[in-house]
Amino acid sequence: MRHVRAIAVFGIAVVALTGARGSHGGSCGGGSSSSGGSSSNHNSDNDSTSGGTSGGSLPGGSSSANKAIRDVTIDDCKYDAATKNLVARITVKNDGALDYAYSVTMKFKGDAGGTTVPATATKTGIAVASGASVSAELTTPYPGSGDGSEYTKCEVDRASRS
């Protein structure tokens, strides 16, 4: 029993120490352009990561295993009534010494406990020179028939660079 408690305390400590890093959740404004951004941390080195990180710990808990996802910041997340698309605008910042091409997958979600089926959008080949930032837009067709208001947030699901 003590062993289980020690593991639980360690797990909570890891979440507490890493939970604020890489939080890439943004809000989606149904029918409006409500902005929900987040800050990102640009200090470690690795090329690929996956897994939603909105408000939780990063997959693997290692700061060096999440470089690509940390390079991505969500600037805006919304439903575009004119095109009937879910749209996420992001900025990718490359603090590395080399130029990279990024691939980013965004997940559009509803409120926790809701019945909204997550939608995803992927953009590949986002070229970012060393020391530069690039803005990009990820879109996916709105899967519903309403006004998009059930999609309340978006988050970076996966990011990689090569």
Side-chain angles (χ1 to χ4, degrees):
M1 188 62 132
R2 285 183 186 185
H3 181 69
V4 172
R5 261 189 255 157
I7 291 173
V9 170
F10 176 76
I12 291 170
V14 169
V15 170
L17 292 173
T18 62
R21 293 194 215 147
S23 178
H24 292 280
S27 65
C28 284
S32 67
S33 71
S34 108
S35 168
S38 66
S39 62
S40 65
N41 197 357
H42 303 282
N43 296 331
S44 57
D45 304 304
N46 194 2
D47 296 345
S48 178
T49 186
S50 66
T53 60
S54 179
S57 67
L58 295 170
S62 170
S63 63
S64 67
N66 300 291
K67 179 60 179 166
I69 205 165
R70 290 178 183 213
D71 290 352
V72 179
T73 303
I74 298 170
D75 300 318
D76 192 24
C77 180
K78 67 179 184 175
Y79 169 71
D80 184 347
T83 62
K84 297 195 184 317
N85 285 329
L86 296 170
V87 180
R89 287 186 180 83
I90 62 170
T91 300
V92 182
K93 183 176 182 188
N94 178 4
D95 285 336
L98 302 172
D99 297 349
Y100 289 106
Y102 287 80
S103 294
V104 178
T105 299
M106 185 71 58
K107 187 174 284 190
F108 297 87
K109 300 169 75 173
D111 288 331
T115 60
T116 305
V117 176
T120 59
T122 300
K123 181 144 185 129
T124 60
I126 305 169
V128 187
S130 172
S133 293
V134 171
S135 294
E137 186 174 277
L138 288 80
T139 62
T140 190
Y142 172 59
S145 59
D147 64 359
S149 62
E150 69 273 25
Y151 289 92
T152 58
K153 63 183 174 179
C154 60
E155 65 187 28
V156 175
D157 189 45
R158 273 181 246 128
S160 63
R161 66 183 191 181
S162 54

